[in-house]
Amino acid sequence: MKYKNTNEKKEMSNTENFECEYVYHIYTHANGKDLIFREEENYKYFLDKLVKYIVPIAEIYAYCLMPNHFHLLVRFNNLNDILNEDEHKYLMKQFSNLLNAYAKAYNKRYNRKGSLFLDYLKRKRINDEKYFMKLLHYIHNNPVNHGFVEDIGKWKYSSYHSYINLAKESKIERTEMMQYFETVNNFIEYHKSNIEYDFLSIE
């Protein structure tokens, strides 16, 4: 897996350029006090669009959808054979398509107008394995940390369930991540452990 040099100044940014074959934490928030997801149908629709627009260009390691924001952990594929334009612009376009398609359907359903998401997509390139693993823990524990559930397994809208049910087909890239764990039980125990999210200070 590729990691960028941690000495680069722009590593501290949360609006870094996308590059193929690198891993990113991608996240955004609803505009103002709005909600992105009001009911179960919304979550399912968003995941359908994620499969349509993002799965063709990236491996998704983890996701968590919350009522007013979401988190993704992805690695972009090698797209050199099909890219005839700037990598960042091409990859950002796919996320724009995702968010625009979702917002258009959401606004129509709830007779709503205006921007649903913040006007920029936050993204941070992952610079080492330790950070990579902490993000997995952070993303899956987001519903617990925000007080929506006490048990991580009670939140339906994350990739956590895909990892603890490996026999079930999934669009999540689980093989690479599970190399860090001897068993599914190890994976579960890791998520129950206390991890210091020291990276939050720079995001």
Side-chain angles (χ1 to χ4, degrees), residues 114-139:
S115 175
L116 178 61
F117 298 97
L118 293 179
D119 60 1
Y120 64 93
L121 188 69
K122 295 181 180 180
R123 61 264 181 193
K124 183 153 194 337
R125 188 180 290 136
I126 310 308
N127 48 34
D128 59 56
E129 274 190 9
K130 186 177 180 181
Y131 182 21
F132 182 60
M133 295 301 295
K134 284 186 175 185
L135 272 173
L136 178 72
H137 187 284
Y138 171 74
I139 289 172

Side-chain angles (χ1 to χ4, degrees), residues 179-195:
Q179 292 177 0
Y180 294 94
F181 305 96
E182 292 184 6
T183 66
V184 171
N185 282 337
N186 290 147
F187 177 90
I188 292 172
E189 288 306 312
Y190 173 70
H191 282 78
K192 291 180 179 178
S193 65
N194 292 321
I195 299 294

Side-chain angles (χ1 to χ4, degrees), residues 40-137:
E40 185 167 4
E41 181 181 332
N42 301 152
Y43 292 97
K44 292 179 177 179
Y45 186 78
F46 184 90
L47 290 175
D48 286 343
K49 294 304 176 185
L50 192 69
V51 170
K52 178 179 180 180
Y53 292 109
I54 307 305
V55 168
I57 62 164
E59 293 181 336
I60 300 177
Y61 293 122
Y63 74 83
C64 186
L65 310 183
M66 304 288 288
N68 65 355
H69 68 283
F70 68 81
H71 293 272
L72 301 172
L73 182 60
V74 310
R75 180 174 67 82
F76 290 115
N77 298 332
N78 183 339
L79 303 174
N80 291 338
D81 55 336
I82 64 171
L83 284 178
N84 293 314
E85 56 184 298
D86 178 83
E87 284 183 7
H88 174 71
K89 289 182 179 179
Y90 178 83
L91 297 171
M92 277 296 294
K93 179 63 176 175
Q94 312 316 308
F95 279 95
S96 294
N97 291 341
L98 163 68
L99 300 183
N100 288 337
Y102 180 81
K104 183 177 180 180
Y106 184 94
N107 283 352
K108 182 178 180 180
R109 177 173 177 79
Y110 299 109
N111 193 27
R112 180 187 177 281
K113 294 182 179 180
S115 175
L116 178 61
F117 298 97
L118 293 179
D119 60 1
Y120 64 93
L121 188 69
K122 295 181 180 180
R123 61 264 181 193
K124 183 153 194 337
R125 188 180 290 136
I126 310 308
N127 48 34
D128 59 56
E129 274 190 9
K130 186 177 180 181
Y131 182 21
F132 182 60
M133 295 301 295
K134 284 186 175 185
L135 272 173
L136 178 72
H137 187 284

